[in-house]
Structure formats: C-alpha cells, structure tokens
C-alpha cells in the first residue's frame, strides 16, 4: 500500500492521556528515527507519483501569481491551499484567480508540478457570482423566519 500524501511526526506523550501513562515508552531518539524513516520512504513514493503525472493533463484552479518566478500558482481538487504542493503554470495569456484551467504537466519535483495551459478558461467563478446565490438564500431565509414569527404571534 502507498499513500499519495503523508505527513509524519514522532509520538509525544500528552498530559492526562492513557497513552502517556503506559509502560514501555520508547526513547525519543528511536521515535524520531522511525518518523524519519517513514518520511524517507514516502519521499521516494512521492517522487514516483509526481513523475508519473508528467505528460498528463490536470484540471486546476488558479490561486494567483508568484511574484518571484512569474508563474501562476494553481492547485488540483486534491490539493489543499498552503498545505500541499502547487501546479506552477507558465502562460502567455493571463490566468485569473478562481478560474479553472486544463494544464499539461511538463515537469515535476517532489512537491510541485509544472506545466502550461492546454485549454484556456473552463469556468470563471467571480466573487459577485459566488455571493449572489448565498445572499439571496439568506434573504429568503430571513423573509421566511419573519413570516413564521407573524403567524406565531
């Protein structure tokens, strides 16, 4: 079995827990070596999984642009913002935050994928578009509650 993503840390006893009071606690050095070994193994797995994505097309959402590199920072549906890696995209045409794009992956490293736009904007979700249905729903809910209060009084 292999994990697509994995983070690991050495166990540390937490105050007032059953595990902290158990006999046979392992030395801190052993815990840290075990955690390091797990992460070394996972690093190899991640490198293979990232390399396997080269040549594939992935759908991403654009989060913005990296001022240093000039690359657009995007992520797939499987990537958490500011936690997982990025899909770093070069594009002659501007990409817009909140818009989805199909990206041809050209290269990879341990954490990030690199690619170019294969198909320009699929869907653009602008802030006003996202807010409108929510605002309308809230308006309807408030109206319904006010109507219910009138009936109950």
């Amino acid at each position: 079995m292999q994990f697509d993503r994995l983070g690991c840390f050495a166990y540390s006893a937490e105050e007032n827990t059953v595990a902290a009071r158990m006999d046979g606690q392992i030395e801190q050095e052993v815990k840290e070596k075990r955690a390091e070994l797990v992460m070394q193994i996972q690093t190899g797995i991640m490198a293979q999984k990232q390399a396997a994505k080269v040549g594939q097309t992935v759908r991403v959402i654009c989060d913005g642009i990296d001022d240093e590199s000039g690359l657009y920072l995007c992520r797939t549906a499987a990537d958490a913002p500011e936690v997982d890696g990025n899909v770093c995209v070069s594009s002659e045409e501007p990409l817009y935050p909140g818009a989805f794009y199909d990206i041809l992956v050209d290269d990879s490293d341990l954490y990030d994928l690199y690619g170019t736009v294969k198909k320009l904007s699929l869907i653009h979700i602008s802030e006003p578009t996202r807010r409108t249905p929510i605002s309308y729903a809230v308006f309807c809910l408030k109206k319904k509650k006010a109507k219910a209060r009138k009936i109950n009084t």
Side-chain angles (χ1 to χ4, degrees):
M1 177 170 64
Q2 295 182 335
F3 293 97
D4 290 341
R5 294 178 173 86
L6 181 133
C8 180
F9 58 91
Y11 168 80
S12 60
E14 293 293 323
E15 218 177 300
N16 300 320
T17 63
V18 174
R21 295 189 303 269
M22 292 175 77
D23 292 333
Q25 297 287 327
I26 298 170
E27 296 291 325
Q28 186 64 30
E29 186 177 321
V30 173
K31 293 182 222 177
E32 289 173 7
K33 282 184 181 178
R34 289 179 180 178
E36 186 178 312
L37 178 61
V38 168
M39 289 311 295
Q40 284 176 355
I41 293 167
Q42 182 61 25
T43 297
I45 293 168
M46 277 291 297
Q48 290 173 350
K49 288 186 176 284
Q50 290 288 86
K53 293 176 184 172
V54 174
Q56 292 184 8
T57 299
V58 295
R59 183 160 294 161
V60 301
I61 186 168
C62 180
D63 287 326
I65 193 164
D66 178 54
D67 292 329
E68 269 185 46
S69 67
L71 296 173
Y72 290 93
L73 300 179
C74 303
R75 58 190 159 86
T76 69
D79 300 318
E82 299 179 21
V83 174
D84 294 316
N86 292 300
V87 180
C88 305
V89 179
S90 60
S91 177
E92 296 294 320
E93 299 294 320
L95 303 185
Y96 300 97
F100 291 84
Y101 301 92
D102 284 337
I103 304 299
L104 177 62
V105 179
D106 302 321
D107 198 7
S108 69
D109 61 27
L110 186 55
Y111 299 106
D112 297 322
L113 298 174
Y114 300 87
T116 53
V117 177
K118 183 174 180 181
K119 182 177 179 183
L120 214 48
S121 188
L122 297 170
I123 304 169
H124 180 70
I125 303 172
S126 65
E127 285 298 318
T129 304
R130 278 191 280 175
R131 285 193 191 130
T132 303
I134 294 169
S135 298
Y136 182 71
V138 169
F139 168 76
C140 291
L141 185 60
K142 286 180 181 177
K143 193 172 178 179
K144 187 176 180 179
K145 283 181 179 180
K147 189 175 183 179
R149 273 188 291 237
K150 277 185 180 180
I151 294 170
N152 292 334
T153 55

